[in-house]
C-alpha cells in the first residue's frame, strides 16, 4: 500500500437544528423527543391546503450563524427540493438553493488552518421513521412507523469547501464549528440527540496538485469518533480501489456503526433529479441592513476570541488546556477568579481536573468563593488533596471555602505542631533520614506519607518538605 | 329545464332573516329541497350536509331571536367547491385519491363565512384537483349545465356555477387558477369573480398551482358578489402571500356607472371567437358608450403566449403540490411490498388521467436539462404579461373581453383532446399570470339559449372597478330585456 | 425546443418514475403524443426574444413575511391518525422502507 501517495480531499455538510421555540413554518413547539406525533399540526404534517409561514427567529438565528462564520448575509429565496420519502410530509423539502442567506465565509481552526464555508442556508427537517421487526434494521423489516414531531424543525446547513485534508482535521473542523454554533446561541449542538449531523464528501487524489477525484458522500455519522472512523475507512477503501486499477463510483454511502465500514445505498433507477423551483408559497427574505448590523453587533464572543483572551491572561497555558476550558464554557469563570487575584495555574488545574466533570455545577460557582479557595491552596493553608475535597463540597451545594474547610476539619496545622510530628517521625526512622540527607529525593515522599498518616491528611505536603530541608543542616 | 323564476338573492335572504320575514331554517330547508329536486339531473353537489346546515340554521335563528347580528350573510345557504377544506366534512377535490378524507381543520374562508352567518349546505363538484374546463374530469361523474343538461357547465368549478345557476343556493365559492371561476360562470350565466391574488386567503384551499390559485365568489347578481367578497377577503397570517393591507368593504355606487371610464377592448381576444359572442361585445360597447364610457381597442401582445406559459407553470407547481398524495398520512392507499411501491400503486390508482397528464407535463418542465427551456421561459413570459398589462392600464381604467371564445360545449366534445380543452381558457388565463382581478358577468344568450359571459379586467386591487363595470352591464341587460 | 428536443417515450417513462406513477405501454405512447402537442404549442414562447427578461415566480411582489416565534396549540393526533390509511402505536404505519444498504 502506498497511502502516502494519496491526499484525501474532504468537504463537510453540517446540519444543525436551531433552538427556536417553534418550528420553521408553524407554531408547533420545537422540542426534542416527546411522545410520537404530539408536536404536530396540519401544517407540519403537510396536509392538503396548508401553507408555510416563516419563523422570524429562525432567520435571525441563521444570520447569527452566518455572522459567526464570517459569511456575507444576502437576500435569499426558498426553493422546493422534490423527492418522495415517507418521513417528508409534503414529499418535497423547502430549502434554499441558488440564493442562500449566507455565502462565502470561513472558519479558522485552533491549529491555524482556515476552512472556507461555501454557504449556510435555512431548510426544514424531516420526521423520523423507525423500522419494525428484528433488531430495527431495514432488512427483515415488515414495516416502518413514522413520527412527525421533528418534521418542520428549522435547520441551518453549513457547507464547507473541500478544504479538509485528513480525518483529524475534519474532527477539528466539526469541534470548532460546533463550539462556534453553540456560542452564538442558535443551537445546542448535541450530536447524540441529532441536533448536529454531519455528512462527509470524501475523495482522494495523487498529491496536492492533482485534480480532485470522484467523491462519495457518507451519511449517518453520529459522533466525532464515527466521523474519524468513517472518513478513514472511506479513504482506505478508495485508495484500495485505485491501487487495484479500479475507478471510484460517485455514490452515497451509509456508515455502519457496528462494522465501522461504509456501505453504498441502494442505487435508484433514475438519477437524483430534485426539480428545484422557487417556493411559490413563500416570498423572498431580504434582511434590512439595520437587522444585519444588529445581529453582528450582538454576536457574543466566539471561541477563538475567548481563547485569545485566556492566552492573554495566562500566556504559559497549553493550547489544548485553553481549548478545553473554552469548550467547557469555563473560561468566563477562569478569567473572573484570576481577576480577583487567584493563581492562574492552580485555578486552571482545578477547573480542568475537578470542575469540568461537573460542568453545570461548576458554572454556578461563586467566583469570589472559588478565588478564595485557590488562594488557600496557593498559600499552603490547604493541601492539594484538601482543596479538592473542599471544591467537591462547593460543587455540591456551594458555600464559603473557609467554612467547608473548617467543617471538614482542615484547620491549617500550626508550624509548632507540624514540627513536633516531623521530629518524632525523623527520630523513628533515622536510616531513612540519612538517605534523605545524602540526596535521595524519593525518600521525601516516604516522610510526607508518614506525616499525612499521623495528621490524618491535615498537613500541607509542601510545608513538610520545607521542614525536612531545614532539618538537613 | 325550467328554472323557477327569481329565487331570492343572498342580500334579500340576509335582510329577510334579520327582520324575521322568514327564518334561516326555512331558507335552508328550501335550499335542501331544491337540491333534492334538481341535483339528480345536474349533479352539482358531491356531498350535501343537510343535518349540519339545519343545526347551524337553528343557531342563526336563535341569534336573531335574541337580537344578535349573525353577520352580513345571516342564514344564507352556500355551496363550497370541494377543494376547500371543511373540518370533519369529506373534502375530495373531485378525486378518488382523497378517499373521503375529512380534514382536521377549516379553511380560513370557511371560518370567515361562519363568522358572517353563512350556512354551508354542501360541497360542489369539480374537475379533479381543479384541472379541467368542463367538470368532466371529476372522478365522481360530470356536472351538467342547468341551461342544457347535454352541455358542460364549464370548469373546474362547474358544480359551484351550476348550483347557483339552478337556484339551489344563492352563493357558492370556487377557485380560479386559469379561469376556473369565470369560465363556468360564463357557461352557466352567473357572476364569477377572481379577486386580486392575495386578497382572499388560500389557507385550506387544496393547492393546484400556488402562484395562480385564488378563491372567489359565484352569485346570481353583482351585488351578491360584492357581499360574498366582503365576507371572504382580508389578511390571513396563515397565508404568506395574503396581502397585509386594509381591505375596506367593497362598495359599489350603482349610480356611478361607467361615465368617464376609459375602457379597452382586448383585440387579441376577439380573434377566433364565435360570431354571437362577437356581437355581444359590440352590444356591450354600445351600452358602455351610452353610459359615458370611452371605448377603444387595446392590444396586450403577450396574452397570445399566455396559454403556453400557463400550461408549463401550472403543471410544474401542481406536480410538486400533488406529491403529498402518497398514501402515507391521509386518503387512499394501495399497498405494495415496500413504501416506494405503495406510493406508486396509490398514485397510479388514485389519480385520474388529466391529473396524471399535468403531473407528467410539470415534472418534465422542471426536470434537469429542461428547466430553462420550459419553466424558466414561462416565468419570463409572465414578466412580459405583467409589463403589457401595466402599459395597457396606463391608457385604460378597465379592459373588456369575452370570458370564453364559445358558449358551453356538449359533454364529451373535447374530453379526449386536451389541447382543444385547454384553449377554452385562453381569455381567462392572462389575469392569473398577472395576479389581477377579473369578473365574468352574464350578457345575454346565444341562439341555442346558452349564456354568454363578458369579462371585465382591472389592475391589481381594483376589484371594485371590475364589479362596478359588471354592475353597469348587468343593469343594461336588465333594462334591455324589460 | 427543436424537434430532436421534443419529448420521447423514454423521457415519459423517466418522468413517470420521478413522479411515482406507473404507466402502461399504451399510456406512455398516448402521453408522449399529447405532451408533445402541448409542448409544440408552447413553441410560441421560445419564438420570443426573452433575453434579459427577469423571471416572475409570484404575481404580487412581497418580501420578508414572517411569523413571530410563539408556540401555539398542536392537533390531537387521534383526529389525524383516524384519517391515516395505516397507523400503529400512535404513529403512521407504512410498508418497509427501501432506502437502506444493498
Amino acid at each position: 500500500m502506498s497511502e502516502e501517495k494519496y491526499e484525501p480531499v474532504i468537504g463537510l455538510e453540517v446540519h444543525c437544528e436551531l433552538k427556536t421555540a417553534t418550528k420553521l413554518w408553524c407554531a408547533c413547539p420545537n422540542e426534542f423527543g416527546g411522545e410520537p406525533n404530539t408536536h404536530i399540526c396540519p401544517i407540519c404534517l403537510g396536509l392538503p391546503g396548508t401553507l408555510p409561514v416563516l419563523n422570524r427567529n429562525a432567520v435571525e438565528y441563521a444570520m447569527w450563524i452566518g455572522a459567526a462564520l464570517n459569511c456575507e448575509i444576502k437576500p435569499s429565496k426558498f426553493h422546493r427540493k422534490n423527492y418522495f420519502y415517507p418521513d417528508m410530509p409534503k414529499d418535497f423539502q423547502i430549502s434554499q438553493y441558488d440564493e442562500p442567506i449566507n455565502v462565502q465565509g470561513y472558519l479558522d481552526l485552533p491549529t491555524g488552518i482556515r476552512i472556507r464555508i461555501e454557504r449556510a442556508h435555512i431548510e426544514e427537517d424531516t420526521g423520523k421513521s423507525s423500522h419494525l421487526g428484528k433488531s430495527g434494521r431495514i432488512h427483515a423489516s415488515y414495516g416502518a412507523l413514522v413520527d412527525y414531531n421533528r418534521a418542520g424543525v428549522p435547520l441551518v446547513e453549513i457547507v464547507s469547501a473541500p478544504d479538509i485534508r485528513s480525518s483529524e482535521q475534519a474532527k477539528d473542523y466539526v469541534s470548532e464549528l460546533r463550539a462556534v454554533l453553540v456560542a452564538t446561541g442558535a443551537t445546542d449542538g448535541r450530536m447524540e440527540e441529532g441536533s448536529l449531523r454531519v455528512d462527509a464528501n470524501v475523495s482522494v487524489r495523487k498529491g496536492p496538485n492533482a485534480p480532485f477525484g470522484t467523491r462519495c458522500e457518507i451519511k449517518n455519522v453520529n459522533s466525532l469518533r464515527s466521523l474519524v472512523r468513517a472518513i478513514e475507512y472511506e479513504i482506505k477503501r478508495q485508495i484500495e480501489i485505485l491501487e487495484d486499477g479500479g475507478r471510484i463510483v460517485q455514490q452515497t454511502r451509509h456508515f455502519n456503526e457496528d462494522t465501522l465500514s461504509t456501505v453504498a445505498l441502494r442505487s435508484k433507477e433514475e438519477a437524483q433529479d430534485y426539480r428545484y423551483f422557487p417556493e411559490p408559497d413563500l416570498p423572498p427574505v431580504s434582511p434590512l441592513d439595520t437587522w444585519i448590523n444588529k445581529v453582528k453587533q450582538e454576536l457574543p464572543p466566539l471561541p477563538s476570541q475567548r481563547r485569545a483572551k485566556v492566552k492573554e491572561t495566562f500566556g504559559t497555558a497549553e493550547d489544548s488546556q485553553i481549548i478545553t476550558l473554552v469548550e467547557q464554557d469555563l473560561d468566563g469563570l477562569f478569567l473572573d477568579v484570576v481577576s480577583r487575584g487567584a493563581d492562574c495555574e492552580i485555578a486552571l488545574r482545578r477547573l480542568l481536573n475537578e470542575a469540568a466533570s461537573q460542568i453545570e455545577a461548576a458554572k454556578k460557582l461563586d467566583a469570589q468563593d472559588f478565588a478564595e479557595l485557590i488562594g488557600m491552596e496557593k498559600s499552603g493553608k490547604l493541601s492539594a488533596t484538601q482543596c479538592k475535597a473542599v471544591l467537591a463540597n462547593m460543587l455540591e451545594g456551594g458555600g464559603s471555602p473557609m467554612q467547608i474547610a473548617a467543617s471538614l476539619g482542615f484547620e491549617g496545622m500550626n508550624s509548632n505542631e507540624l514540627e513536633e510530628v516531623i521530629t518524632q517521625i525523623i527520630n523513628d526512622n533515622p536510616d531513612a533520614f540519612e538517605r534523605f540527607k545524602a540526596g535521595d529525593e524519593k525518600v521525601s515522599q516516604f516522610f510526607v506519607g508518614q506525616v499525612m498518616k499521623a495528621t490524618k491528611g491535615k498537613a500541607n505536603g509542601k510545608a513538610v518538605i520545607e521542614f525536612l530541608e531545614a532539618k538537613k543542616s | 329545464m325550467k328554472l323557477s323564476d327569481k329565487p331570492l338573492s343572498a342580500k334579500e335572504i340576509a335582510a329577510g332573516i334579520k327582520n324575521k320575514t322568514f327564518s334561516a331554517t326555512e331558507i335552508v330547508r328550501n335550499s335542501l329541497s331544491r337540491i333534492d329536486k334538481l341535483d339528480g339531473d345536474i349533479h352539482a353537489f358531491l356531498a350535501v350536509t343537510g343535518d349540519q346546515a339545519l343545526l347551524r340554521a337553528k343557531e342563526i335563528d336563535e341569534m336573531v331571536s335574541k337580537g344578535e347580528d349573525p353577520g352580513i350573510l345571516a342564514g344564507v345557504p352556500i355551496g363550497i367547491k370541494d377543494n376547500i377544506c371543511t373540518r370533519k366534512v369529506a373534502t375530495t377535490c373531485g378525486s378518488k385519491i382523497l378517499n373521503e378524507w375529512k380534514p382536521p381543520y377549516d379553511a380560513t374562508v370557511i371560518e370567515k363565512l361562519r363568522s358572517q352567518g353563512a350556512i354551508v349546505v354542501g360541497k360542489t363538484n369539480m374537475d379533479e384537483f381543479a384541472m379541467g374546463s368542463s367538470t368532466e374530469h371529476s372522478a365522481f361523474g360530470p356536472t351538467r349545465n342547468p341551461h342544457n343538461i347535454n352541455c358542460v357547465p364549464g370548469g373546474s368549478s362547474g358544480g359551484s356555477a351550476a348550483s347557483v345557476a339552478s337556484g339551489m343556493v344563492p352563493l357558492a365559492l370556487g377557485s380560479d387558477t386559469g379561469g376556473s371561476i369565470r369560465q363556468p360562470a360564463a357557461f352557466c350565466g352567473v357572476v364569477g369573480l377572481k379577486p386580486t391574488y392575495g386578497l382572499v386567503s388560500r389557507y385550506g384551499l387544496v393547492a393546484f398551482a400556488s402562484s395562480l390559485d385564488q378563491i372567489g365568489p359565484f352569485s346570481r347578481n353583482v351585488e351578491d358578489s360584492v357581499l360574498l367578497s366582503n365576507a371572504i377577503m382580508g389578511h390571513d397570517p396563515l397565508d404568506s402571500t395574503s396581502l397585509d393591507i386594509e381591505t375596506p368593504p367593497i362598495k359599489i355606487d350603482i349610480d356611478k356607472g361607467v361615465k368617464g371610464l376609459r375602457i379597452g377592448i382586448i383585440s387579441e381576444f376577439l380573434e377566433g371567437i364565435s360570431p354571437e359572442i362577437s356581437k355581444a361585445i359590440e352590444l356591450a360597447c354600445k351600452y358602455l358608450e351610452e353610459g359615458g364610457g370611452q371605448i377603444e381597442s387595446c392590444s396586450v401582445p403577450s396574452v397570445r403566449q399566455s396559454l403556453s406559459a400557463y400550461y408549463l407553470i401550472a403543471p410544474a407547481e401542481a406536480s410538486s403540490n400533488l406529491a403529498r398524495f402518497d398514501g402515507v398520512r391521509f386518503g387512499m392507499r394501495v399497498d405494495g411490498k415496500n413504501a416506494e411501491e405503495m406510493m406508486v400503486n396509490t398514485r397510479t390508482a388514485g389519480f385520474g388521467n388529466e391529473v396524471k397528464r399535468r403531473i407528467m407535463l410539470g415534472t418534465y418542465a422542471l426536470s434537469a436539462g429542461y428547466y430553462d427551456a420550459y419553466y424558466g421561459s414561462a416565468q419570463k413570459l409572465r414578466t412580459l404579461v405583467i409589463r403589457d398589462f401595466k402599459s395597457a392600464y396606463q391608457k385604460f381604467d378597465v379592459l373588456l373581453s369575452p370570458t370564453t371564445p364559445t358558449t358551453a360545449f356538449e359533454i364529451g366534445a373535447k374530453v379526449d383532446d386536451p389541447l382543444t380543452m385547454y384553449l377554452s381558457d385562453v381569455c381567462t388565463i392572462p389575469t392569473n399570470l398577472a395576479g389581477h382581478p377579473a369578473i365574468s358577468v352574464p350578457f345575454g344568450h346565444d341562439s341555442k339559449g346558452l349564456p354568454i359571459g363578458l369579462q371585465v379586467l382591472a389592475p391589481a386591487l381594483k376589484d371594485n372597478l371590475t364589479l362596478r363595470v359588471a354592475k353597469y352591464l348587468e343593469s343594461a341587460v336588465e333594462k334591455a330585456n324589460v | 425546443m427543436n424537434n430532436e428536443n421534443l419529448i420521447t417515450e423514454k423521457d415519459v417513462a423517466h418522468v413517470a418514475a420521478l413522479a411515482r406513477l406507473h404507466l402502461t405501454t399504451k399510456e406512455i405512447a398516448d402521453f408522449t403524443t399529447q405532451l408533445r402537442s402541448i409542448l409544440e404549442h408552447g413553441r410560441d414562447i421560445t419564438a420570443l426574444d426573452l433575453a434579459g427578461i427577469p423571471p416572475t415566480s409570484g404575481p404580487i411582489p412581497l418580501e420578508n413575511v414572517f411569523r413571530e416565534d410563539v408556540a401555539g396549540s398542536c392537533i390531537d393526533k387521534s383526529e389525524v391518525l383516524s384519517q391515516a390509511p395505516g397507523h400503529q402505536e400512535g404513529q403512521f404505519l407504512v410498508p418497509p422502507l427501501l432506502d437502506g444498504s444493498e
Side-chain angles (χ1 to χ4, degrees):
Chain A
M1 281 291 294
S2 50
E3 286 190 27
E4 58 283 358
K5 272 198 343 213
Y6 291 92
E7 181 187 61
V9 174
I10 301 158
L12 296 179
E13 291 169 12
V14 174
H15 289 84
C16 90
E17 284 181 352
L18 302 182
K19 259 183 6 190
T20 50
T22 64
K23 292 186 178 182
L24 191 49
W25 317 120
C26 65
C28 282
N30 170 17
E31 283 169 20
F32 175 75
E35 193 189 318
N37 296 310
T38 48
H39 306 150
I40 56 168
C41 75
I43 299 169
C44 55
L45 278 176
L47 295 185
T50 59
L51 299 168
V53 184
L54 180 58
N55 183 338
R56 181 195 298 272
N57 246 359
V59 176
E60 175 143 342
Y61 286 7
M63 288 162 64
W64 289 0
I65 291 174
L69 296 175
N70 311 291
C71 290
E72 187 189 343
I73 300 171
K74 295 186 74 175
S76 65
K77 274 185 187 160
F78 287 96
H79 273 64
R80 290 187 185 176
K81 179 181 183 181
N82 294 286
Y83 68 94
F84 287 86
Y85 205 65
D87 59 15
M88 176 70 77
K90 301 180 293 294
D91 288 299
F92 60 78
Q93 181 190 32
I94 303 177
S95 180
Q96 297 192 307
Y97 180 52
D98 54 358
E99 294 176 62
I101 186 158
N102 302 305
V103 297
Q104 288 176 332
Y106 59 86
L107 178 67
D108 287 331
L109 305 187
T111 51
I113 288 168
R114 172 167 293 186
I115 307 295
R116 289 170 301 155
I117 306 289
E118 286 181 348
R119 53 190 285 151
H121 68 258
I122 305 169
E123 63 182 30
E124 61 178 324
D125 210 342
T126 64
K128 273 185 191 171
S129 43
S130 51
H131 305 284
L132 288 167
K134 279 180 194 157
S135 68
R137 292 280 171 124
I138 291 170
H139 302 292
S141 149
Y142 61 84
L145 296 178
V146 193
D147 167 17
Y148 292 104
N149 279 351
R150 201 182 65 180
V153 162
L155 296 175
V156 165
E157 179 179 344
I158 300 139
V159 182
S160 85
D163 287 353
I164 299 165
R165 294 290 174 268
S166 70
S167 59
E168 266 315 297
Q169 223 175 64
K171 185 179 141 192
D172 289 350
Y173 169 80
V174 175
S175 307
E176 183 64 7
L177 179 62
R178 183 186 166 281
V180 168
L181 295 175
V182 171
T184 64
T187 181
D188 60 23
R190 293 194 183 120
M191 276 188 100
E192 67 282 6
E193 285 182 4
S195 63
L196 197 77
R197 304 195 286 272
V198 185
D199 297 335
N201 286 301
V202 179
S203 65
V204 295
R205 60 174 169 179
K206 284 192 173 168
N209 299 317
F212 287 160
T214 305
R215 65 194 163 93
C216 289
E217 185 180 6
I218 306 164
K219 290 187 176 286
N220 193 42
V221 179
N222 300 322
S223 66
L224 284 181
R225 209 162 71 144
S226 297
L227 177 70
V228 172
R229 287 172 164 174
I231 291 175
E232 277 170 4
Y233 177 89
E234 185 59 21
I235 292 169
K236 200 163 156 253
R237 187 187 73 87
Q238 292 188 13
I239 291 174
E240 276 172 12
I241 291 175
L242 294 174
E243 285 292 292
D244 287 349
R247 298 184 67 161
I248 307 297
V249 182
Q250 184 168 350
Q251 58 190 183
T252 302
R253 301 179 67 86
H254 186 95
F255 180 65
N256 185 321
E257 295 270 0
D258 300 332
T259 61
L260 304 180
S261 58
T262 65
V263 197
L265 292 184
R266 191 180 67 97
S267 53
K268 295 223 172 95
E269 260 176 51
E270 78 271 14
Q272 288 290 35
D273 183 349
Y274 293 124
R275 289 158 284 135
Y276 281 98
F277 74 103
E279 165 58 272
D281 290 327
L282 288 168
V285 177
S286 195
L288 294 174
D289 286 347
T290 48
W291 193 11
I292 296 175
N293 290 336
K294 181 176 160 278
V295 163
K296 286 182 176 167
Q297 273 162 21
E298 290 176 359
L299 199 67
L302 297 177
S304 54
Q305 295 162 303
R306 287 163 58 180
R307 287 193 299 263
K309 195 105 189 250
V310 175
K311 189 83 183 167
E312 215 173 89
T313 310
F314 184 25
T316 54
E318 287 172 32
D319 285 348
S320 64
Q321 289 180 310
I322 297 179
I323 290 171
T324 312
L325 186 73
V326 171
E327 240 173 42
Q328 309 279 29
D329 199 18
L330 293 172
D331 52 319
L333 181 61
F334 172 78
L335 292 171
D336 196 350
V337 299
V338 168
S339 77
R340 291 166 199 262
D343 179 80
C344 286
E345 198 180 330
I346 300 177
L348 186 63
R349 193 186 307 138
R350 292 292 157 254
L351 279 172
L352 291 181
N353 296 350
E354 277 74 45
S357 56
Q358 294 178 65
I359 291 180
E360 289 315 309
K363 283 183 193 163
K364 288 188 205 125
L365 280 177
D366 181 88
Q368 187 56 41
D369 287 346
F370 191 55
E372 253 173 53
L373 176 72
I374 302 302
M376 287 161 79
E377 183 178 346
K378 172 76 178 171
S379 69
K381 276 190 194 146
L382 290 177
S383 69
T385 318
Q386 288 172 330
C387 180
K388 288 181 202 171
V390 173
L391 181 54
N393 275 269
M394 285 167 71
L395 287 169
E396 257 167 47
S400 131
M402 298 270 247
Q403 282 169 4
I404 294 172
S407 71
L408 293 174
F410 293 166
E411 301 287 357
M413 296 180 72
N414 66 42
S415 311
N416 291 340
E417 283 173 347
L418 185 61
E419 188 167 6
E420 227 170 83
V421 175
I422 293 175
T423 309
Q424 184 62 47
I425 290 172
I426 290 176
N427 292 342
D428 292 350
N429 301 281
D431 297 350
F433 192 62
E434 283 307 314
R435 289 214 303 280
F436 176 73
K437 278 208 284 191
D440 186 347
E441 292 292 329
K442 278 182 279 178
V443 189
S444 66
Q445 289 311 309
F446 163 77
F447 282 106
V448 172
Q450 290 296 310
V451 175
M452 288 296 171
K453 204 168 154 191
T455 62
K456 293 180 179 135
K458 272 192 210 171
N460 183 311
K462 262 193 244 166
V464 174
I465 293 182
E466 275 164 29
F467 269 112
L468 287 169
E469 293 289 345
K471 291 266 174 192
K472 266 187 188 174
S473 51
Chain B
M1 165 170 312
K2 171 93 171 76
L3 298 181
S4 86
D5 297 307
K6 284 272 162 195
L8 293 171
S9 73
K11 195 180 167 194
E12 288 163 340
I13 289 172
I17 287 173
K18 284 185 195 174
N19 67 29
K20 299 181 188 170
T21 310
F22 36 74
S23 70
T25 304
E26 285 172 273
I27 291 293
V28 168
R29 278 193 205 290
N30 218 346
S31 171
L32 292 173
S33 78
R34 206 167 160 80
I35 293 171
D36 198 40
K37 200 169 98 194
L38 299 176
D39 210 36
D41 287 335
I42 292 173
H43 193 223
F45 283 92
L46 291 175
V48 177
T49 52
D51 292 346
Q52 283 129 296
L54 285 167
L55 278 174
R56 183 69 186 137
K58 212 176 140 198
E59 284 172 17
I60 302 284
D61 287 333
E62 278 163 14
M63 284 175 84
V64 172
S65 70
K66 281 191 231 154
E68 294 165 22
D69 182 1
I72 60 171
L73 293 175
V76 179
I78 185 165
I80 305 294
K81 188 176 182 180
D82 209 20
N83 58 353
I84 295 172
C85 288
T86 43
R87 186 164 181 209
K88 294 186 175 175
V89 173
T91 298
T92 69
C93 296
S95 180
K96 281 189 290 182
I97 206 164
L98 275 148
N99 196 22
E100 298 293 305
W101 175 60
K102 295 182 180 68
Y105 74 104
D106 273 324
T108 298
V109 286
I110 298 296
E111 287 182 356
K112 284 184 178 281
L113 286 177
R114 180 170 305 126
S115 73
Q116 292 297 343
I119 299 176
V120 174
V121 296
K123 304 295 293 283
T124 60
N125 198 10
M126 56 185 283
D127 285 299
E128 186 177 1
F129 286 105
M131 296 176 184
S133 311
S134 68
T135 317
E136 291 166 287
H137 292 305
S138 166
F140 307 106
T143 297
R144 290 163 183 277
N145 192 316
H147 295 270
N148 178 345
I149 59 167
N150 295 317
C151 288
V152 302
S156 66
S157 313
S160 290
S163 69
V164 172
S166 57
M168 298 178 198
V169 281
L171 299 176
L173 284 187
S175 67
D176 190 315
T177 306
S180 280
I181 290 174
R182 289 159 288 158
Q183 187 255 23
F187 279 12
C188 291
V190 296
V191 179
L193 170 70
K194 184 207 93 73
T196 298
Y197 185 87
L199 278 187
V200 181
S201 167
R202 293 184 293 117
Y203 187 76
L205 169 67
V206 179
F208 162 13
S210 315
S211 76
L212 302 162
D213 295 341
Q214 193 65 183
I215 293 174
F218 281 100
S219 58
R220 280 191 296 274
N221 64 50
V222 177
E223 270 194 342
D224 276 3
S225 187
V226 172
L227 196 62
L228 183 49
S229 297
N230 282 330
I232 61 174
M233 285 178 180
H235 177 244
D236 180 9
L238 292 174
D239 175 357
S240 309
T241 62
S242 161
L243 296 172
D244 193 0
I245 50 169
E246 285 290 316
T247 38
I250 293 175
K251 277 193 183 136
I252 46 164
D253 188 348
I254 294 163
D255 296 332
K256 224 170 172 183
V258 294
K259 196 166 182 192
L261 284 185
R262 298 165 303 164
I263 301 161
I265 312 296
I266 304 177
S267 53
E268 286 81 3
F269 289 160
L270 298 179
E271 299 161 11
I273 61 174
S274 83
E276 288 181 290
I277 291 180
S278 200
K279 259 190 208 157
I281 289 281
E282 280 167 31
L283 185 59
C285 290
K286 181 174 160 266
Y287 289 160
L288 290 165
E289 272 179 340
E290 285 168 6
Q294 298 161 25
I295 313 290
E296 225 181 289
S297 174
C298 166
S299 171
V300 187
S302 57
V303 301
R304 287 182 196 280
Q305 293 85 21
S306 289
L307 188 85
S308 301
Y310 175 85
Y311 277 98
L312 294 169
I313 291 170
E317 292 182 13
S319 70
S320 174
N321 285 329
L322 267 56
R324 72 192 69 191
F325 299 89
D326 61 2
V328 174
R329 291 158 300 276
F330 53 83
M332 168 179 168
R333 172 182 292 182
V334 178
D335 241 315
K337 67 175 185 293
N338 55 55
E340 192 173 314
E341 210 181 274
M342 179 277 284
M343 288 181 176
V344 172
N345 293 346
T346 300
R347 293 166 63 80
T348 302
F351 289 136
N353 246 340
E354 180 61 25
V355 172
K356 286 180 188 167
R357 185 153 43 237
R358 302 222 195 172
I359 289 175
M360 294 289 295
L361 185 54
T363 305
Y364 180 70
L366 290 176
S367 64
Y370 299 105
Y371 182 95
D372 289 338
Y374 293 116
Y375 191 73
S377 307
Q379 283 195 314
K380 288 179 175 181
L381 188 91
R382 199 166 181 181
T383 307
L384 286 188
V385 171
I386 291 170
R387 285 183 187 174
D388 286 356
F389 271 120
K390 196 173 172 194
S391 58
Y393 288 125
Q394 278 165 356
K395 283 176 71 186
F396 299 100
D397 298 303
V398 294
L399 302 175
L400 183 76
S401 82
T403 308
T404 54
T406 66
T407 52
F409 45 87
E410 285 191 4
I411 290 177
K414 299 185 179 182
V415 74
D416 293 323
D417 185 355
L419 187 56
T420 310
M421 183 77 94
Y422 297 172
L423 286 166
S424 66
D425 293 331
V426 70
C427 303
T428 47
I429 278 171
T431 40
N432 295 82
L433 293 176
H436 294 167
I439 194 168
S440 178
V441 61
F443 196 81
H445 297 78
D446 68 5
S447 51
K448 291 179 273 182
L450 290 169
I452 292 170
L454 296 189
Q455 183 179 220
V456 183
L457 304 83
L461 301 174
K462 300 280 188 187
D463 304 56
N464 56 336
L465 211 46
T466 67
L467 287 155
R468 183 173 136 197
V469 175
K471 175 71 198 173
Y472 174 85
L473 290 171
E474 180 184 70
S475 317
V477 171
E478 269 170 29
K479 262 187 237 160
N481 287 347
V482 168
Chain C
M1 279 183 268
N2 306 320
N3 262 329
E4 60 267 30
N5 283 346
L6 278 179
I7 190 165
T8 62
E9 291 197 1
K10 201 178 150 210
D11 293 331
V12 168
H14 169 70
V15 166
L18 278 178
R20 297 290 184 275
L21 292 171
H22 174 77
L23 299 183
T24 63
T25 318
K26 185 179 181 305
E27 282 171 327
I28 289 178
D30 289 351
F31 276 145
T32 307
T33 314
Q34 289 165 351
L35 297 189
R36 202 175 267 192
S37 82
I38 296 161
L39 292 167
E40 265 176 46
H41 187 272
R43 286 175 186 219
D44 54 1
I45 299 182
T46 34
L48 298 173
D49 180 14
L50 295 170
I53 309 279
T56 295
S57 41
I60 309 287
L62 290 169
E63 62 178 23
N64 295 336
V65 177
F66 299 119
R67 178 178 65 76
E68 295 309 321
D69 189 19
V70 179
S73 52
C74 294
I75 196 168
D76 182 2
K77 68 175 165 187
S78 63
E79 186 171 354
V80 184
L81 290 170
S82 75
Q83 296 294 302
H87 62 94
Q88 184 177 314
E89 300 162 25
Q91 301 196 59
F92 295 83
L93 174 67
V94 293
L97 304 175
L98 257 193
D99 220 356
S101 46
E102 270 164 1

